[in-house]
Amino acid sequence: MNTARYAFQVISHSRFRSITVFLLVFVTTVCVFGTALFTDNIRTGADRIYGNTGTDLYIVPQEYLEDTKDLLFKGKACMIPFKTDVYDKIAELDGAEAVSRQLYLETLELSCCAVGGLQVIAFDPETDFAVRKWTDQTQRLGSDEILAGSAGAFSVGETVDLFGRTFTVAGILEETGMGYDQSLFLTYEAADDITSSAEYSYMFGEKTGLVSMLLIRQKAGTDLAALTKSVKTALDGSGLAAYAIDDLTAGMKSNIRTLTAAVRIMNVFAVVIASVSLFAMVTLTFHQRRKTAGSLLSVGCTKGQILKLFSAEYLCLFVLGAAAGILLVCILLLPLHDVIKTALELPYKLISPGGAAVITAKTLLIDLAMLAAALSFTFRKIMKTEPALLAEDTL
Amino acid sequence: MITANKITKHFGKNGFDPISFSVPVGQLTGLTGTSGCGKTTLLNILTGMLKPDSGTVLVDGTDLQTLRGKELAALRSKKIGYMMQGNVLLPDLTVMQNLLFPAQLAGKSVQTEQAAAHAEKLKITNILGSYPAEISGGEYRRVMLARILLLDTPVLIADEPTSNLDSASAELVREVLTERREAGVTLLIATHDKQLLVRADAVICMENS
């Protein structure tokens, strides 16, 4: 009988002890791994927005600031149409490298997998710098083609009916952590065709020639404050306002900080409580093996062999408990990803496999450190006792 | 040869004053005395399971107190087989696994057939698949003896090997022990069993203090 066989035999025979240790490791892992993954997903979503929208200024009607935030960052579909004649004026400003426009059409309940409906967004492929950056689809988008957000569960080549017209999905955006994930993107040309139809006007009102948002990207090396000032001057009296990404994310940053701090505090408590419980449980159950240790010593087993035998048993339970905990968190967080994202109303994006691997490694490290600490503490204490007294132990 | 030289050990009011003796090679030496006189403590000291307050134990000329960790383990697995008084089988292993495991840990190539042969001799074949918690006290003693026999050590020390046994089983154990003596094994047996003591080549009698 080798060490692994012995460990398996002890685990399967002493079921109550094994299940208790397993459950404790399982709960610890769920707490440590779950909260770490959750907060990292929020942070990844936030990082994505703060550094990567590619847009430096958003121009929207003043009264629609909150709607814009909801649409961009929470995935809450909305419509903010306005007529504008400032497009050319802004495009000519010093410091504006590119200006693009977007029109938000109606929210559609197209897919069973789309949580909270899909926002249909018209964009201008000629000037766009905000949508195409999320996809490797480089062909010019035809008027009968669309791009789909990552949460829509569409596949390239699939056809989708929108407002009585059939579109082919030409590309899928990578996950942005923003409202784009729950959106479909078609060209302005297609949007004009749709909105100019009598049926559409009758159902949703006149939208031809409208925009919902103007997006500005500043020239590299220019001063954003100066550009903002110029844009505001250009918008004077138009009822429109220009917002930098920091203006739009200020409140959300605060929410994210509060939420992640709360989760981290809970995480620390969970880790401390679970670690102490784990330490106590391993110490207690290991202590019950004093007689076994004495028995093994009486037949010539070395202390090293005893440590190896006991460690193998606990290691098996720890690995099984940790694996089950990680699996449960993945089962809960992955399929419910979009539900969580919508429910949170915060940027939320799955971290990379590498990031997940780091969290997994950290979790296992915490579990194993607890095991090592508990085993070494108890083993040293036990081995200070004379073997005869261990064998006579009545525990 | 095991030589005890002025060994003392005290637990509170219990214990014994200096005791010296030798266990001759190839002989069966009995150790008897009233309950609580320290027989078990003495055997624990002779096997390195307990440190004496004073005195020395020499096993083939080596002082046990000079041995550490692995050397003591090797002594108990290769030189002195020790059948303890208490119930010290491994609770999570079956009887058969309990028989084989110590020898396997000691790196000895013990076959299942050898274990089965010892089990047959001690009439415990029917419980080989049982766990220690499922067997009777008498069976437990015989399993412990079989476990030590499988280690095949030149010295065998046993503490009350016939206690808890019915007369037939006790006789079986006596026969097995005397057979070991015939095979050249040195035996030191702590017992109250007169029928076993009469078969001993020498008897050490301990008294309280």
Side-chain angles (χ1 to χ4, degrees), chain A residues 12-60:
Chain A
S12 57
H13 188 247
S14 296
R15 289 198 191 106
F16 180 75
R17 184 179 64 214
S18 303
I19 289 171
T20 308
V21 174
F22 170 86
L23 283 178
L24 213 52
V25 177
F26 173 76
V27 171
T28 307
T29 305
V30 168
C31 290
V32 175
F33 185 71
T35 50
L37 193 63
F38 181 72
T39 48
D40 272 28
N41 282 347
I42 292 178
R43 198 169 49 232
T44 307
D47 288 348
R48 203 102 214 241
I49 287 172
Y50 301 153
N52 265 318
T53 58
T55 305
D56 298 302
L57 286 173
Y58 293 86
I59 296 176
V60 293

Side-chain angles (χ1 to χ4, degrees), chain B:
Chain B
M1 166 88 79
I2 299 176
T3 306
N5 189 21
K6 295 180 181 171
I7 297 173
T8 63
K9 184 73 182 179
H10 290 277
F11 294 107
K13 289 179 182 176
N14 296 323
F16 51 80
D17 289 335
I19 180 170
S20 301
F21 63 90
S22 290
V23 179
V25 174
Q27 292 195 6
L28 194 163
T29 304
L31 176 66
T32 191
T34 53
S35 295
C37 68
K39 297 188 292 298
T40 297
T41 301
L42 181 61
L43 295 190
N44 283 334
I45 290 170
L46 294 178
T47 53
M49 295 282 285
L50 195 64
K51 287 192 179 77
D53 292 343
S54 64
T56 54
V57 176
L58 302 177
V59 177
D60 290 341
T62 305
D63 184 352
L64 283 194
Q65 293 212 51
T66 64
L67 301 181
R68 292 285 174 272
K70 283 185 180 175
E71 295 164 327
L72 268 175
L75 175 90
R76 288 192 285 262
S77 64
K78 294 187 170 66
K79 203 166 263 184
I80 302 176
Y82 182 30
M83 176 188 167
M84 299 186 79
Q85 187 183 37
N87 295 339
V88 291
L89 293 177
L90 302 174
D92 299 308
L93 301 188
T94 63
V95 167
M96 177 55 104
Q97 288 167 333
N98 260 290
L99 295 182
L100 294 171
F101 197 45
Q104 287 168 343
L105 283 174
K108 296 179 179 178
S109 58
V110 177
Q111 302 299 318
T112 311
E113 292 75 24
Q114 288 173 265
H118 281 293
E120 181 142 9
K121 197 179 284 181
L122 288 162
K123 297 201 185 313
I124 50 171
T125 309
N126 58 323
I127 54 160
L128 287 176
S130 305
Y131 286 93
E134 300 165 349
I135 63 178
S136 71
E139 288 168 334
Y140 206 109
R141 300 303 295 161
R142 282 177 281 156
V143 174
M144 284 182 61
L145 179 60
R147 174 169 93 143
I148 297 305
L149 292 177
L150 265 173
L151 282 175
D152 198 24
T153 51
V155 178
L156 197 160
I157 294 179
D159 196 352
E160 302 285 4
T162 55
S163 68
N164 283 330
L165 297 181
D166 59 67
S167 56
S169 299
E171 183 53 30
L172 203 61
V173 169
R174 285 179 211 120
E175 281 173 16
V176 168
L177 291 174
T178 47
E179 267 176 31
R180 299 306 293 172
R181 176 182 54 190
E182 307 314 321
V185 173
T186 303
L187 295 114
L188 175 62
I189 314 290
T191 184
H192 293 286
D193 181 1
K194 289 194 174 71
Q195 293 185 60
L196 183 54
L197 286 171
V198 294
R199 299 181 197 199
D201 300 301
V203 174
I204 300 166
C205 187
M206 291 177 73
E207 289 179 4
N208 281 328
S209 296

Side-chain angles (χ1 to χ4, degrees), chain A residues 152-344:
Chain A
F154 293 103
S155 52
V156 174
E158 186 180 348
T159 55
V160 182
D161 287 333
L162 297 174
F163 308 108
R165 292 182 46 159
T166 301
F167 291 88
T168 304
V169 177
I172 307 291
L173 270 60
E174 63 177 280
E175 189 179 7
T176 65
M178 302 190 288
Y180 281 4
D181 293 337
Q182 289 97 30
S183 302
L184 291 173
F185 300 88
L186 44 76
T187 62
Y188 244 94
E189 188 185 347
D192 282 343
D193 276 354
I194 291 168
T195 55
S196 61
S197 71
E199 293 90 341
Y200 183 92
S201 298
Y202 176 75
M203 292 281 287
F204 304 111
E206 180 61 48
K207 286 219 182 99
T208 310
L210 296 178
V211 296
S212 298
M213 183 185 286
L214 290 177
L215 303 94
I216 303 171
R217 188 172 66 195
Q218 71 172 122
K219 275 181 191 157
T222 57
D223 180 20
L224 182 61
L227 176 61
T228 307
K229 195 176 173 186
S230 305
V231 170
K232 282 181 176 170
T233 307
L235 295 177
D236 199 25
S238 67
L240 300 175
Y243 299 102
I245 186 72
D246 283 346
D247 300 326
L248 296 171
T249 56
M252 186 180 63
K253 276 180 181 172
S254 166
N255 288 345
I256 289 173
R257 266 198 301 271
T258 308
L259 180 68
T260 51
V263 173
R264 277 186 193 286
I265 289 168
M266 280 162 54
N267 186 20
V268 169
F269 270 112
V271 170
V272 169
I273 291 168
S275 299
V276 170
S277 314
L278 211 56
F279 187 89
M281 178 55 70
V282 171
T283 305
L284 191 69
T285 54
F286 199 90
H287 208 68
Q288 288 178 325
R289 320 290 300 283
R290 285 164 57 91
K291 197 178 180 77
T292 301
S295 170
L296 288 166
L297 286 169
S298 77
V299 289
C301 197
T302 63
K303 290 177 182 176
Q305 283 175 317
I306 294 172
L307 181 62
K308 201 171 149 192
L309 289 172
F310 289 0
S311 300
E313 176 194 333
Y314 283 96
L315 196 62
C316 282
L317 290 171
F318 267 66
V319 169
L320 287 174
I326 288 168
L327 195 66
L328 179 77
V329 170
C330 291
I331 286 172
L332 288 178
L333 286 188
L334 292 182
L336 298 177
H337 178 59
D338 292 326
V339 177
I340 295 169
K341 190 192 287 187
T342 307
L344 277 178

